[in-house]
Amino acid sequence: RPQEEPTRVTHTVMPARPGDPSAKTGAPARAREKSLTVATLNPQVKAVEYAVRGPIVLKAGDIERRLLQGEKLSFTDVIKANIGDAHAMGQQPITFLRQVVALCCFPELLSSPAFPDDAKQRAQRILQDCGGQSIGSYSASQGLQCIRRDVADYITHRDQGVPSDWNNVYLTTGASDGIMSILKLVVSGRGPSRTGVMIPIPQYPLYSAAISELDAVHINYYLDEDNCWALDIEELQRAYLDAKLHCQPRVLCIINPGNPTGQVQTKKCIEEVLHFAYEENLLVMADEVYQDNVYLPDCQFHSFKKVLYEMGPEYFNGVELVSFHSTSKGFTGECGFRGGYMEVLNMDPQVEAQLVKLLSVRLCPPVPGQAAMDVIVNPPKEHEPSYAQFTKEKSSVLDVLAHKAKLTEQFLNSVPGIKCNPVQGAMYAFPQIFIPPRAIQEAQSLSMAPDMLYCLRLLEETGICVVPGSGFGQREGTFHFRMTILPSPEKLQVLLGQLKGFHLRFLEEYSQEEPDSSRASEQPD
Amino acid sequence: RPQEEPTRVTHTVMPARPGDPSAKTGAPARAREKSLTVATLNPQVKAVEYAVRGPIVLKAGDIERRLLQGEKLSFTDVIKANIGDAHAMGQQPITFLRQVVALCCFPELLSSPAFPDDAKQRAQRILQDCGGQSIGSYSASQGLQCIRRDVADYITHRDQGVPSDWNNVYLTTGASDGIMSILKLVVSGRGPSRTGVMIPIPQYPLYSAAISELDAVHINYYLDEDNCWALDIEELQRAYLDAKLHCQPRVLCIINPGNPTGQVQTKKCIEEVLHFAYEENLLVMADEVYQDNVYLPDCQFHSFKKVLYEMGPEYFNGVELVSFHSTSKGFTGECGFRGGYMEVLNMDPQVEAQLVKLLSVRLCPPVPGQAAMDVIVNPPKEHEPSYAQFTKEKSSVLDVLAHKAKLTEQFLNSVPGIKCNPVQGAMYAFPQIFIPPRAIQEAQSLSMAPDMLYCLRLLEETGICVVPGSGFGQREGTFHFRMTILPSPEKLQVLLGQLKGFHLRFLEEYSQEEPDSSRASEQPD
């Protein structure tokens, strides 16, 4: 037992008891075995991986600290293009949203002439629905009723009249929380009856993390990179049939617009998916948090619910569908508020009662986040004083995002050894990168995914932080990274320029020598 | 298959395909089997119970709706004394806290003369720590660094110099979220190696719910009702040894001040508990969310950490201890913000890395809740402009609570068949009630806990909503309910009066007839 540094603080030492190990040696017991070690840790927690905040981000934090301490590097800033965190990248909040939340927080401001009447009316309505008219009281576990009603009205309007019942709407702590709650409900069984959850590959790693944590089975269906990351129904069927042999597939997760892949699904594709889900009796989880983030003129967001409705009542009344939205994305980018909602369709009423019970243990979603969600679904109307500014701010955010989506795609495709599908929606580019065989070998010798090696080198040499494709899943032998399109246009230009420089250096470095390194490897283009 | 009402909305029906069941009958498929039913639901979710928002609260909601619809009942209001929701019961927010959060939400207010400088300084400091200086950006998964530092300073000051390292502080989404995360880490094993979690009985049902959800083993240790709900170390040992036979006890949960029982643990008792935890190598979870809610002059809050420190370095460096705090209780009562923190001591660094990973999947705690937590740990200082008002508001809340704690205890003890321990701390009274044998029989015939029958009748006849003791756990043959002391003193007087009236009627009703009903039953006093 190593002798420890003596603790420098004064204290009263209890008399050592017989049998106490420290009594024998006089050494403090700091080295004694812990109750909780990696060996005794919940194995499902161990199995969880979450690349968006993984090792690459820890490394970025280290580099930031070194820069802050005055260390001289070849760059002065870390650019965090790893996470869809719009405000951190300089996007400004929507004024009306913040006015409403501030009024809810400090109702004395309701008498201030500095706040517009429509913001005051929104805040007053929310406060009237709060216990004691305070957002400091718990809401119902499903959220405040007036906001659930606003969400239902918003969905009805968005879907051109398809009815939405506010009783089916649950406010959540961001979309992640809702997704986790639904997955928690469906997980059961052991061995061949274990619940299988179908997820796209590439996927947003919340899904794989949640599936690991809950000890369900991942069923991967691969999106078609050669076809703009479209969902291929035959691949869905293949994955399903393969999985049937060893688990019970019960849930189908869809991300539309795609994360990290940025595709926007066509109506026809959604119909096929819903038809498949109907046939195989799968619960559909439609992650639609990027529903406002569609950039290309020939792309349009179709909600799974509206498409289901248009397929007729045998589908609309048959398929169990949960769709998710969030305050964190769209044009508001309010990640820190942890707001969101889910709409639950065709759920067995007894199961829904169990869902309410499960949610009630966590008491309620944060009420300021609920208020933020309300502004998104109940924005200023044309005749209201904040309409003009709200509309201008909203368009400005979305126009700039559309511009950056185009810019990113075009630039990346101009770099030899990088190939990028159009960023039709969401906030990310997910380009395929050529990694020379020697770099692959080097990564393997370090027990590291080759694109992790690439991203670590990129970070170390340029300060640009992106996430390796291996954190999202990709077809074997292909390599990618996910970068957000959130930096300001000027910063994005700089980022892309530096990325190009790095990429060319990387290719050169690993393509020199060893003339046999030219054997088959999947180089895009 | 029953014929359904035709859906009234128009829709495009997809051509029925061969093999489609609806093609044969023409009937819509609403009645087809669900993918997710109570039979296929996650059995661990099914096992979860959470009385604080359980059937009695659903019933209270029903009654409220009936009252709103103009139905005439013998009362005009439902009084929700079921949940520690201070603002809902009329407690006013602390002005300074709301000012700081409003300034963070809408930084334009930083130039408003209506806000005091100290509130502005707090808000500016928080904003400077936020990405893009916006509380709409994600914070680190552990929370904003400046707030974690403030928490560490607060703990050091509270514990009279016992050092606290901000790296051990994690901000959380209320205390519940932190408790759940820690429990998630420690759960593992099957059969006799399954993780056992020791919880007090009576307990706050978050614990039993989390243990069920995670499929761990409940190990109940009973608090000593005859001794002011003190924790009896021999009972702890008994429970441990019994449990050892069929599981691996690895965690000891303590709630101090107690919920629902309101006791404040003595320093000697805490020493004994920590000694026991050291000996048996148990991770200690100290739920200290009521640390500011201590009412009796001869009671004092001792943090588990400080007591551990005073036991000497072999303990202070040996026992794995996690303590929890929250914005929801204390003198702020800001439940809706979902703010809290935990301090983690002596955790294996590899396990701590796993904790960070687990937290990162949920991205971050709500930032407005983090800001609220900051005000609690970093209140206005004596020389600052908001000090006087803050101090006055804080004392006022705590003085009124102390008054109501005394009032409730005294009143309840004046009612025949009710016996209540002193409410030393927290926000609840947990009186024992005598339930006549005939009422017990009636409840049993309804497959209902006798105190559930009592509480339902109380709700139906008076509009008072309290939670049956069976939802918290109690010694067999004893019956209790938990009521908060949060209604205003006037309302509390009325509530207690109505409760007394009900109780006497209930006793009379069930004690009449059947002369053999006088057989042994545990009537307190």
Side-chain angles (χ1 to χ4, degrees):
Chain A
R1 211 164 274 225
Q3 195 76 20
E4 299 280 338
E5 286 250 303
T7 349
R8 249 160 303 174
V9 284
T10 57
H11 56 261
T12 319
V13 181
M14 294 267 290
R17 289 161 319 96
D20 189 330
S22 64
K24 288 173 202 150
T25 63
R30 190 180 288 188
R32 78 191 207 126
E33 205 191 334
K34 301 277 183 194
S35 163
L36 184 54
T37 64
V38 171
T40 60
L41 187 77
N42 183 343
Q44 292 163 221
V45 169
K46 243 178 285 184
V48 164
E49 289 181 18
Y50 186 68
V52 175
R53 293 198 151 186
I56 201 103
V57 183
L58 295 178
K59 178 95 187 173
D62 284 344
I63 295 178
E64 272 186 324
R65 267 184 291 280
R66 283 158 56 196
L67 286 169
L68 265 177
Q69 286 160 8
E71 197 172 323
K72 286 277 168 285
L73 300 172
S74 59
F75 51 88
T76 54
D77 275 326
V78 171
I79 305 181
K80 288 195 178 150
N82 60 297
I83 188 166
D85 191 2
H87 291 202
M89 302 310 288
Q91 183 181 309
Q92 293 306 300
I94 299 290
T95 304
F96 186 72
L97 185 149
R98 292 300 190 88
Q99 286 173 328
V100 172
V101 180
L103 287 160
C104 289
C105 285
F106 197 57
E108 275 186 35
L109 294 169
L110 287 166
S111 58
S112 159
F115 284 76
D117 284 346
D118 45 0
K120 289 178 184 171
Q121 283 154 10
R122 295 289 187 293
Q124 264 165 330
R125 186 159 158 275
I126 292 168
L127 289 172
Q128 269 157 23
D129 217 19
C130 292
Q133 303 211 16
S134 165
I135 61 162
S137 56
Y138 292 120
S139 74
S141 301
Q142 303 97 316
L144 289 172
Q145 195 182 111
C146 73
I147 301 179
R148 297 167 72 199
R149 288 180 185 273
D150 287 346
V151 168
D153 290 349
Y154 161 82
I155 293 171
T156 304
H157 182 255
R158 179 198 70 191
D159 291 343
Q160 294 162 299
V162 180
S164 173
D165 180 346
W166 69 270
N167 286 294
N168 295 334
V169 172
Y170 295 75
L171 303 182
T172 59
T173 307
S176 304
D177 166 60
I179 291 166
M180 196 68 178
S181 299
I182 298 297
L183 283 175
K184 213 175 265 175
L185 289 181
V186 297
V187 167
S188 64
R190 303 225 170 271
S193 70
R194 223 165 128 212
T195 297
V197 179
M198 306 190 73
I199 54 173
I201 296 294
Q203 52 114 20
Y204 175 56
L206 164 69
Y207 290 94
S208 50
I211 292 167
S212 296
E213 192 182 316
L214 294 165
D215 204 20
V217 180
H218 304 245
I219 306 174
N220 298 338
Y221 62 90
Y222 288 84
L223 301 175
D224 185 357
E225 183 164 16
D226 294 335
N227 193 13
C228 269
W229 296 114
L231 193 164
D232 174 19
I233 198 77
E234 283 178 25
E235 163 61 12
L236 204 60
Q237 280 156 345
R238 179 214 53 83
Y240 177 82
L241 291 175
D242 284 0
K244 265 275 199 191
L245 302 174
H246 59 94
C247 72
Q248 183 59 49
R250 289 176 55 214
V251 185
L252 170 56
C253 299
I254 308 280
I255 312 173
N256 178 47
N259 177 4
T261 40
Q263 83 284 16
V264 177
Q265 283 185 298
T266 63
K267 190 174 164 193
K268 178 164 168 295
C269 172
I270 295 173
E271 276 173 3
E272 286 174 354
V273 169
L274 286 168
H275 189 267
F276 170 78
Y278 177 88
E279 286 296 299
E280 306 299 353
N281 208 14
L282 300 172
L283 173 85
V284 178
M285 293 175 62
D287 178 340
E288 301 181 323
V289 301
Y290 297 101
Q291 58 189 268
D292 286 324
N293 298 102
V294 176
Y295 308 122
L296 295 193
D298 54 339
C299 291
Q300 198 192 327
F301 170 73
H302 301 278
S303 79
F304 267 66
K305 185 186 175 196
K306 177 159 180 275
V307 174
L308 189 67
Y309 179 80
E310 289 170 351
M311 288 168 76
E314 70 276 28
Y315 291 89
F316 192 60
N317 299 325
V319 175
E320 291 150 81
L321 171 65
V322 188
S323 63
F324 302 90
H325 199 6
S326 166
T327 60
S328 304
K329 312 299 169 187
F331 57 96
T332 53
E334 296 283 11
C335 309
F337 281 90
R338 315 307 301 120
Y341 75 75
M342 57 184 176
E343 185 186 26
V344 172
L345 290 185
N346 294 320
M347 189 175 269
D348 180 305
Q350 283 182 289
V351 173
E352 211 157 346
Q354 295 281 326
L355 173 61
V356 171
K357 179 188 72 177
L358 187 65
L359 296 175
S360 74
V361 178
R362 297 293 194 95
L363 298 159
C364 70
V367 182
Q370 298 186 37
M373 193 74 238
D374 192 52
V375 171
I376 295 172
V377 297
N378 183 22
K381 307 212 168 17
E382 216 166 333
H383 63 276
E384 291 182 316
S386 301
Y387 180 78
Q389 186 183 359
F390 180 90
T391 309
K392 190 170 151 238
E393 290 176 358
K394 174 179 173 177
S395 313
S396 160
V397 169
L398 292 175
D399 290 350
V400 172
L401 282 171
H403 166 68
K404 294 188 290 191
K406 193 79 201 153
L407 171 74
T408 305
E409 175 207 341
Q410 286 178 338
F411 189 99
L412 289 173
N413 282 322
S414 76
V415 182
I418 298 188
K419 185 179 165 188
C420 186
N421 271 319
V423 181
Q424 299 173 336
M427 300 179 164
Y428 315 98
F430 195 70
Q432 187 170 154
I433 46 177
F434 171 66
I435 297 189
R438 276 193 49 233
I440 296 176
Q441 284 159 23
E442 182 175 321
Q444 280 162 349
S445 74
L446 297 164
S447 303
M448 192 184 271
D451 45 17
M452 175 64 91
L453 174 75
Y454 181 95
C455 292
L456 277 174
R457 291 280 306 269
L458 174 67
L459 174 63
E460 284 161 357
E461 295 176 25
T462 65
I464 297 169
C465 181
V466 300
V467 187
S470 45
F472 303 89
Q474 53 200 353
R475 282 209 182 265
E476 190 148 352
T478 69
F479 304 109
H480 302 77
F481 62 78
R482 186 187 84 164
M483 62 170 278
T484 70
I485 57 167
L486 293 172
S488 68
E490 302 70 40
K491 219 168 182 170
L492 188 59
Q493 282 280 11
V494 173
L495 182 158
L496 290 167
Q498 288 178 336
L499 176 65
K500 181 179 181 174
F502 164 80
H503 184 78
L504 297 177
R505 287 195 305 279
F506 186 87
L507 285 197
E508 202 188 326
E509 177 183 340
Y510 286 102
S511 301
Q512 285 168 351
E513 302 166 55
E514 296 195 350
D516 67 335
S517 73
S518 60
R519 69 187 163 77
S521 68
E522 298 189 36
Q523 169 162 17
D525 278 11
Chain B
R1 208 162 274 221
Q3 196 76 19
E4 300 279 339
E5 284 251 306
T7 350
R8 250 159 301 170
V9 285
T10 57
H11 56 262
T12 319
V13 180
M14 295 266 288
R17 290 161 319 94
D20 189 329
S22 63
K24 289 177 201 146
T25 64
R30 187 181 289 188
R32 78 191 206 127
E33 206 190 330
K34 302 275 183 195
S35 163
L36 184 54
T37 64
V38 171
T40 60
L41 188 77
N42 183 344
Q44 292 163 222
V45 169
K46 241 177 287 184
V48 164
E49 288 181 18
Y50 187 67
V52 175
R53 292 199 153 185
I56 202 105
V57 183
L58 295 177
K59 179 93 188 176
D62 284 345
I63 294 177
E64 272 186 324
R65 267 184 291 281
R66 283 160 53 196
L67 285 170
L68 265 177
Q69 286 159 7
E71 197 172 322
K72 287 275 167 287
L73 299 172
S74 59
F75 50 89
T76 55
D77 276 325
V78 171
I79 305 180
K80 288 193 178 150
N82 59 297
I83 188 166
D85 191 0
H87 292 200
M89 301 313 287
Q91 184 181 308
Q92 292 305 301
I94 300 290
T95 305
F96 185 72
L97 185 149
R98 292 302 190 86
Q99 285 172 328
V100 172
V101 180
L103 287 160
C104 289
C105 286
F106 197 57
E108 275 187 36
L109 294 170
L110 287 166
S111 58
S112 159
F115 285 76
D117 284 344
D118 46 359
K120 289 178 185 172
Q121 283 154 8
R122 294 289 187 293
Q124 265 165 328
R125 184 159 159 276
I126 292 168
L127 290 173
Q128 268 156 22
D129 217 20
C130 292
Q133 304 209 17
S134 166
I135 60 162
S137 55
Y138 292 119
S139 75
S141 301
Q142 302 97 315
L144 290 172
Q145 196 184 109
C146 72
I147 301 179
R148 296 167 72 198
R149 287 179 185 275
D150 288 345
V151 169
D153 290 347
Y154 161 81
I155 293 172
T156 305
H157 182 255
R158 180 198 69 190
D159 291 344
Q160 294 161 300
V162 180
S164 173
D165 180 346
W166 69 270
N167 287 294
N168 295 335
V169 172
Y170 295 75
L171 303 182
T172 60
T173 307
S176 303
D177 166 59
I179 291 166
M180 196 68 178
S181 299
I182 298 296
L183 284 176
K184 213 177 264 175
L185 289 180
V186 297
V187 166
S188 65
R190 305 224 171 272
S193 70
R194 222 164 128 214
T195 298
V197 180
M198 304 190 74
I199 54 174
I201 296 293
Q203 51 114 23
Y204 175 55
L206 165 68
Y207 291 93
S208 51
I211 293 167
S212 297
E213 193 183 314
L214 294 165
D215 204 20
V217 180
H218 305 243
I219 306 173
N220 298 337
Y221 64 90
Y222 288 84
L223 302 176
D224 184 358
E225 182 164 15
D226 293 335
N227 192 14
C228 268
W229 295 114
L231 194 162
D232 174 20
I233 198 77
E234 283 176 27
E235 163 62 10
L236 204 59
Q237 280 156 345
R238 183 221 39 92
Y240 177 82
L241 291 175
D242 284 0
K244 266 275 197 190
L245 302 172
H246 58 94
C247 72
Q248 183 59 49
R250 290 176 53 215
V251 186
L252 170 57
C253 300
I254 307 280
I255 312 173
N256 178 47
N259 177 4
T261 40
Q263 83 285 16
V264 176
Q265 283 185 301
T266 63
K267 191 175 163 195
K268 177 164 169 295
C269 172
I270 295 173
E271 276 173 2
E272 287 174 350
V273 169
L274 286 167
H275 190 268
F276 170 79
Y278 177 88
E279 286 296 298
E280 306 300 352
N281 207 15
L282 299 172
L283 172 86
V284 178
M285 294 175 61
D287 179 339
E288 302 181 323
V289 302
Y290 297 101
Q291 58 189 266
D292 286 325
N293 299 102
V294 175
Y295 308 121
L296 294 193
D298 54 340
C299 292
Q300 196 192 331
F301 171 73
H302 301 278
S303 80
F304 267 65
K305 185 184 175 197
K306 177 158 180 277
V307 175
L308 188 66
Y309 179 81
E310 290 170 351
M311 289 168 75
E314 70 275 28
Y315 291 90
F316 191 58
N317 300 323
V319 175
E320 291 151 80
L321 171 65
V322 188
S323 65
F324 303 89
H325 199 7
S326 164
T327 61
S328 303
K329 311 300 169 187
F331 56 95
T332 54
E334 295 283 10
C335 309
F337 281 88
R338 312 307 302 120
Y341 76 73
M342 56 184 176
E343 185 185 25
V344 172
L345 289 185
N346 294 319
M347 189 175 272
D348 180 304
Q350 285 183 286
V351 173
E352 210 157 346
Q354 295 280 327
L355 173 61
V356 172
K357 180 188 73 176
L358 188 66
L359 296 176
S360 75
V361 178
R362 297 293 192 95
L363 298 159
C364 71
V367 183
Q370 297 185 38
M373 193 74 238
D374 192 52
V375 171
I376 296 171
V377 296
N378 183 21
K381 307 212 168 13
E382 214 166 334
H383 63 277
E384 291 182 316
S386 302
Y387 179 79
Q389 187 182 359
F390 179 90
T391 308
K392 191 170 152 233
E393 289 176 358
K394 175 178 171 177
S395 315
S396 160
V397 168
L398 292 176
D399 290 350
V400 172
L401 282 171
H403 165 69
K404 292 189 291 191
K406 194 79 203 153
L407 171 73
T408 304
E409 176 208 340
Q410 287 178 338
F411 189 100
L412 289 173
N413 281 324
S414 77
V415 182
I418 297 188
K419 184 180 165 187
C420 185
N421 270 318
V423 181
Q424 300 173 335
M427 300 179 165
Y428 314 99
F430 194 70
Q432 186 170 156
I433 46 177
F434 170 66
I435 297 189
R438 275 193 50 232
I440 297 175
Q441 285 160 23
E442 182 175 319
Q444 281 162 347
S445 73
L446 297 164
S447 303
M448 193 183 269
D451 46 16
M452 174 65 91
L453 174 76
Y454 180 95
C455 293
L456 277 174
R457 290 279 307 268
L458 174 67
L459 174 63
E460 285 161 356
E461 295 176 26
T462 65
I464 298 169
C465 181
V466 300
V467 186
S470 45
F472 303 88
Q474 55 199 351
R475 283 209 181 265
E476 189 148 353
T478 69
F479 306 107
H480 301 79
F481 61 80
R482 186 186 84 165
M483 63 170 277
T484 70
I485 58 167
L486 294 172
S488 67
E490 303 70 39
K491 219 168 181 170
L492 188 60
Q493 282 280 10
V494 174
L495 182 158
L496 290 167
Q498 288 177 337
L499 176 65
K500 179 178 182 176
F502 163 80
H503 184 79
L504 297 178
R505 286 195 305 279
F506 186 88
L507 286 196
E508 201 187 327
E509 178 183 339
Y510 286 101
S511 303
Q512 285 169 349
E513 299 165 59
E514 298 195 348
D516 65 335
S517 72
S518 59
R519 68 188 161 79
S521 69
E522 299 188 35
Q523 168 160 17
D525 282 11

